[in-house]
Amino acid sequence: MQALELFKNKIASPAKIVITTHHKPDADALGSSLGLKNYLIKKGHEVTVITPSDYPSFLHWMKGNEEVINFEDKSHQKEAIQKIEAAEIIFCLDFSCLSRLQSMQDHVKNSSAYIVNIDHHQDPKDFSQFSYWSTDAAATCELVYELIVDELGDKDLLDADIADCLYAGIMTDTGGFRHPNTTKNVHLITAELIELGADNTKISKLIYDTNSVNRLKFIGFAISRRLVINQDLRIAYFAISKKDLKKYASQTGDTEGLVNYALSIDGIKIAALFTEREDGIKISFRSVEEVAVNKFAQEHFNGGGHKNASGGKSDLTLSETTEKFEQLIKDNTNTLYNQLELIHEKN
Ligand code: 5GP
Ligand code: MN
C-alpha cells in the first residue's frame, strides 16, 4: 500500500497521538503542532503536544498552549514519557533529524508508534514511516494546511483558531512575507486562512510588536556594543555572553530576530548571532539569497537548516567560536561567495 494511503488508514479511527517539534520551538514549529492538534481533536483523536523545551511567551496565545507539555519541565517529564510510550502515532513537525529533539530523542527513537514527519528542511533523515516533506514549502504550517485540505479533504474542519496557528508559522517563516520563499502558493493559502478567520493584524502585533522594556533595551545594547562588522569579509555578527543575557533579564525569545539587524547592513552577505547558553554556544546564521549557510553550518558547527537561515552549536568559548567563524569565512570565501560573483558577472 502507498505510504499516503497507509497514513490515511492510520488516522481514520481514533488513536492516541503525540505531536512534537524541535527544541526551542518557533512560531512555525508551535503553530503547526497546535494547528494540527486542534484539527486531530475534531477528528476524535486523543492528542498531546510535547515540546523538547520551553518557547517564547509571544507564542502563548495559540489555542491549546495551556496543555502543551514542556519535556524539560521536570514536574511533567514522567507524564510526557508515559504519553510517548502509549502513543500509537507520533507526529514530528518542522525538523528533519531526531537530534533536534535533544533530551527527548531517545524516547521517540525507542517508541513503537507509527512516526510521521512533516517538514520543509533539507536532507530529511530516515526516521519516519510517513514523510510529508517539501523544501518548496515556506513553512511546515503550509504543509499541514495542504495535508489537511488537499490530501485528507477536511477543509470544513478548519476554523479560526486553527487558521491563527497556521498563519503564524507562515508569517514568521517567510519573514513577514518578505523572503524569497514567499510564493504564490503562500499567498493563496494565506488568503484561505484569512477567509477561515485568521486574525492577521492581531497575530503580527502579538509576534512582532510585543516587547518587554528589557528586551528593547537589550536589542539597543546588542546593536551598539556587541555588533562586529567586517566589510572586507562581508560579514556582521553579534556575540552575546551569559552575563549580557543576565544583565537584561533575558527571556526565551528575546534574541529572536536580532541576527536580522546584522544582515540588514549594506554590503553584508552573511550574518551570525552567537549566544552563550548553559549548554554551549547557540549559533544562528543568516545570508542573502545567493549565499548558502546551511552547508557551512552543517560542516563546521554541527548544525544545518535552510539555505538562508541556519543554525548550529559550538563547545568552544564565545571568543574562540567567533574567531573560528571569522577564520572559516576567510578560508572559504571562494566557496561561499562563488555563486554571488557568478551572478554579478552575469549581470
Ligand atoms: P534560528 O537561527 O532561528 O534558531 O534557526 C534558523 C534555522 O536553522 C531553523 O529553522 C533550523 O532550520 C535551523 N537550525 C537551527 N539550529 C539548528 C541546529 O542545531 N541543527 C540543525 N540541523 N538546524 C538548526
Ligand atoms: Mn519552519
Side-chain angles (χ1 to χ4, degrees):
M1 196 186 292
Q2 293 276 307
L4 177 63
E5 290 308 312
L6 189 62
F7 166 72
K8 285 183 182 175
N9 271 358
K10 284 273 173 197
I11 64 158
S13 45
K16 288 193 179 69
I17 296 179
V18 162
I19 300 176
T20 190
T21 186
H22 58 77
H23 195 254
K24 294 286 174 190
D26 55 12
D28 189 34
L30 194 72
S32 57
S33 298
L34 287 175
L36 181 66
K37 174 191 166 159
N38 292 320
Y39 157 75
L40 289 172
I41 282 178
K42 284 188 168 182
K43 295 278 280 185
H45 298 287
E46 188 189 315
V47 192
T48 312
V49 174
I50 307 174
T51 56
S53 72
D54 66 345
Y55 47 84
S57 58
F58 57 73
L59 299 178
H60 287 187
W61 52 269
M62 291 181 193
K63 186 180 175 194
N65 170 72
E66 297 301 317
E67 293 83 45
V68 172
I69 304 178
N70 167 7
F71 194 79
E72 282 177 351
D73 173 356
K74 292 281 175 249
S75 62
H76 287 100
Q77 202 173 77
K78 217 171 137 189
E79 185 190 351
I81 291 170
Q82 280 166 355
K83 293 276 184 195
I84 296 168
E85 282 172 355
E88 294 157 88
I89 306 172
I90 299 179
F91 282 87
C92 295
L93 303 193
D94 200 38
F95 65 90
S96 59
C97 59
L98 284 177
S99 62
R100 298 213 64 211
L101 289 174
Q102 298 213 350
S103 58
M104 242 181 93
Q105 70 171 301
D106 285 342
H107 297 282
V108 172
K109 210 185 279 172
N110 297 333
S111 143
S112 55
Y114 174 82
I115 309 273
V116 179
N117 183 212
I118 308 178
D119 184 43
H120 66 134
H121 292 91
Q122 261 144 14
D123 301 326
K125 299 287 172 279
D126 186 16
F127 63 87
S128 64
Q129 274 87 54
F130 177 58
S131 166
Y132 198 68
W133 170 84
S134 170
T135 50
D136 291 338
T140 298
C141 284
E142 184 180 342
L143 291 171
V144 167
Y145 178 91
E146 288 180 339
L147 183 67
I148 295 172
V149 175
D150 302 336
E151 311 296 350
L152 301 169
D154 277 336
K155 189 169 177 203
D156 55 324
L157 289 184
L158 296 183
D159 58 30
D161 291 321
I162 297 172
D164 275 350
C165 294
L166 300 182
Y167 181 93
I170 296 175
M171 179 187 79
T172 55
D173 267 25
T174 56
F177 306 101
R178 290 180 303 166
H179 297 333
N181 60 2
T182 314
T183 57
K184 176 182 170 187
N185 195 46
V186 161
H187 282 297
L188 289 173
I189 290 178
T190 303
E192 296 292 335
L193 292 174
I194 290 173
E195 193 167 77
L196 285 162
D199 190 340
N200 51 321
T201 316
K202 175 195 81 179
I203 295 168
S204 75
K205 165 78 183 145
L206 285 167
I207 292 183
Y208 290 133
D209 296 323
T210 307
N211 280 314
S212 64
V213 174
N214 269 336
R215 183 185 184 204
L216 214 55
K217 290 190 173 174
F218 167 72
I219 292 169
F221 160 81
I223 293 172
S224 60
R225 305 284 300 281
R226 294 290 183 260
L227 178 61
V228 178
I229 303 164
N230 186 326
Q231 289 284 6
D232 291 339
L233 295 178
R234 292 178 274 190
I235 58 170
Y237 63 86
F238 292 98
I240 307 291
S241 69
K242 258 191 240 171
K243 223 169 123 189
D244 296 337
L245 295 173
K246 202 165 166 214
K247 187 172 163 199
Y248 289 91
S250 175
Q251 304 292 309
T252 295
D254 278 3
T255 54
E256 200 134 314
L258 185 62
V259 66
N260 295 320
Y261 289 103
L263 193 66
S264 74
I265 301 165
D266 202 16
I268 296 304
K269 303 297 179 195
I270 296 177
L273 165 65
F274 301 91
T275 314
E276 191 183 22
R277 302 276 182 201
E278 286 310 321
D279 52 351
I281 312 295
K282 157 87 182 90
I283 313 169
S284 288
F285 293 111
R286 298 291 185 273
S287 61
V288 297
E289 196 186 344
E290 316 88 283
V291 179
V293 278
N294 47 353
K295 237 181 124 208
F296 180 77
Q298 192 180 11
E299 281 172 12
H300 306 293
F301 291 100
N302 196 22
H306 309 285
K307 186 180 167 194
N308 299 131
S310 307
K313 32 201 166 299
S314 160
D315 294 327
L316 304 171
T317 65
L318 189 57
S319 59
E320 284 167 354
T321 305
T322 56
E323 274 166 33
K324 174 180 165 182
F325 170 66
E326 286 216 22
Q327 192 58 48
L328 281 167
I329 297 284
K330 270 184 208 147
D331 296 345
N332 293 285
T333 306
N334 284 345
T335 338
L336 285 165
Y337 298 137
N338 196 15
Q339 204 62 25
L340 192 65
E341 306 302 343
L342 286 176
I343 286 166
H344 284 181
E345 271 169 30
K346 240 189 352 198
N347 295 333

